[in-house]
Amino acid sequence: MESAVTHPFRAAVEADDHDAVHALLADDVVFTSPVAFQPYEGRPITAAIVRGVSRVFEDFRYVREIAGADGRDHVLVFEARVGDRRINGCDLLHTDDDGLIDDLVVMVRPLSAANALAEAMGAQFDRIAREAREESERTAGA
């Protein structure tokens, strides 16, 4: 079912509002990347990855939003560019009882664009890991 209301995650990503993205993630969110074998667990690393993706994607735009009947599942279909590669993909979101995203799966195509994304994100990963570590240290000390 196509959604008439924009999901808050979509609005936050489109506004490049990383604080809002962070606030929408559950502490125990699981992020499944299209280019990594193991999922990432937790708000700090997931928020850092979303920030990293925003630095890598060019001409990013959501083109469609689909909501499940129970309102807890959403599919956000997007288009972007990584270097000279056009990429199509979707963000699969699931929200918990509090309305926070507890599961985020990203899928992309074609393979050549997924490979370009993997390479570009690999170049970002030291920064992503540092940002996640710094956030974890801040929240542990709070």
Side-chain angles (χ1 to χ4, degrees):
M1 162 183 287
E2 186 95 21
S3 174
V5 177
T6 300
H7 190 278
F9 182 82
R10 176 182 179 170
V13 169
E14 289 176 334
D16 204 29
D17 185 345
H18 297 289
D19 291 336
V21 168
H22 186 277
L24 292 167
L25 300 174
D27 288 337
D28 61 349
V29 62
V30 175
F31 174 77
T32 304
S33 165
V35 296
F37 179 70
Q38 294 289 334
Y40 297 95
E41 296 182 16
R43 180 186 287 159
I45 189 67
T46 301
I49 290 169
V50 172
R51 285 191 302 272
V53 169
S54 75
R55 294 187 295 263
V56 166
F57 277 164
E58 299 172 61
D59 303 326
F60 178 88
R61 67 186 186 106
Y62 284 113
V63 296
R64 196 155 154 215
E65 181 171 340
I66 304 163
D70 66 359
R72 293 180 63 172
D73 292 293
H74 297 270
V75 177
L76 306 175
V77 180
F78 63 83
E79 297 175 349
R81 195 168 42 82
V82 178
D84 65 349
R85 300 287 179 187
R86 299 282 322 149
I87 194 165
N88 304 100
C90 58
D91 296 333
L92 307 171
L93 311 174
H94 181 270
T95 54
D96 63 15
D97 292 337
D98 296 322
L100 298 175
I101 298 167
D102 61 1
D103 190 43
L104 170 56
V105 176
V106 179
M107 301 177 81
V108 297
R109 64 156 306 281
L111 180 58
S112 61
N115 289 336
L117 177 62
E119 183 178 330
M121 289 300 291
Q124 292 277 320
F125 214 80
D126 286 343
R127 179 177 176 181
I128 289 167
R130 183 181 71 249
E131 289 175 0
R133 186 175 53 255
E134 289 169 356
E135 180 184 336
S136 292
E137 290 168 358
R138 273 193 315 273
T139 56

